[in-house]
Amino acid sequence: QVQLVESGGGLVQAGGSLRLSCAASERTFSTYRMGWFRQAPGKEREFVAAISWSGGRTYYADSVKGRFTISRDNAKNTVYLQMNSLKPEETAVYYCAASPLPIATMKVSDFRSWGQGTQVTVSS
């Protein structure tokens, strides 16, 4: 139900950084958690990070802990993903998503609204 638009993707060298942005429509009253997922060609979409919209509690995939930071600006209806020390294997399309569930796992099926995705390419 919420509309999402990602931006900030691009080409970066291994070890570099990118900050992704996800602008949501003003209709965020039904959103409990915002998340970032990524999908490489031929692979399943995987969870990267998530944040509760109101409380700001964060969740991270083990593979990105210590390198990625998710944050949100409620006034701007925007969520960010700061990605540092990027690795070539993290090349993928990154998607912003929203979950209306107060209690949820980080499964793809728990997130009901999705952005169009933004390409992140990490060169070696």
Side-chain angles (χ1 to χ4, degrees), residues 43-118:
K43 297 184 179 295
E44 295 182 347
R45 191 167 299 185
E46 65 174 354
F47 167 75
V48 176
I51 186 169
S52 61
W53 194 245
S54 60
R57 180 174 293 178
T58 58
Y59 307 83
Y60 296 96
D62 289 340
S63 62
V64 306
K65 288 181 179 178
R67 297 186 298 114
F68 289 14
T69 302
I70 188 170
S71 61
R72 87 271 191 258
D73 186 331
N74 298 75
K76 296 181 179 180
N77 293 314
T78 302
V79 63
Y80 306 93
L81 183 67
Q82 178 66 45
M83 305 185 293
N84 298 327
S85 301
L86 282 162
K87 305 174 181 179
E89 57 265 38
E90 294 176 313
T91 292
V93 175
Y94 283 68
Y95 296 91
C96 178
S99 173
L101 307 177
I103 301 176
T105 65
M106 297 299 115
K107 294 180 178 179
V108 169
S109 60
D110 291 333
F111 290 76
R112 310 298 172 79
S113 299
W114 294 84
Q116 81 287 353
T118 184

